Amino acid sequence: MTMIKQDVFGAPAPMPVAIDALIAEHGSWRFFFAAVAGLMRAPVIRRDIEFMPDHLRRDIGLPADRDPPRRREHMW
């Protein structure tokens, strides 16, 4: 008897199911090369985030690297 597990609507599929679906749709070689390319691209993406301006880092929920500049007080 085969049981099909039903997930909550909108919940992501488990990783093996998602991988099997991608392999069935695109083929194992294309999936393999896409996975290797993604692994090679990951350090570049992390490096780009390190040099991202503080306002963009805050927008995506990351802490700012530097303290915000202090406001200058003018003496009149």
Side-chain angles (χ1 to χ4, degrees), residues 3-72:
M3 271 180 80
I4 298 174
K5 180 181 176 187
Q6 293 181 347
D7 289 330
V8 177
F9 181 72
M15 186 65 72
V17 174
I19 290 173
D20 290 343
L22 287 170
I23 291 173
E25 184 175 345
H26 299 288
S28 59
W29 285 107
R30 289 186 75 186
F31 175 80
F32 173 75
F33 287 122
V36 170
L39 288 172
M40 295 171 79
R41 199 171 45 239
V44 174
I45 293 170
R46 270 181 266 165
R47 186 174 51 232
D48 290 345
I49 290 174
E50 291 176 4
F51 299 109
M52 187 179 290
D54 288 338
H55 70 280
L56 292 177
R57 292 176 63 88
R58 283 191 303 269
D59 286 349
I60 61 173
L62 294 174
D65 276 346
R66 298 171 295 276
D67 293 331
R70 292 185 181 185
R71 296 181 89 181
R72 291 188 193 179

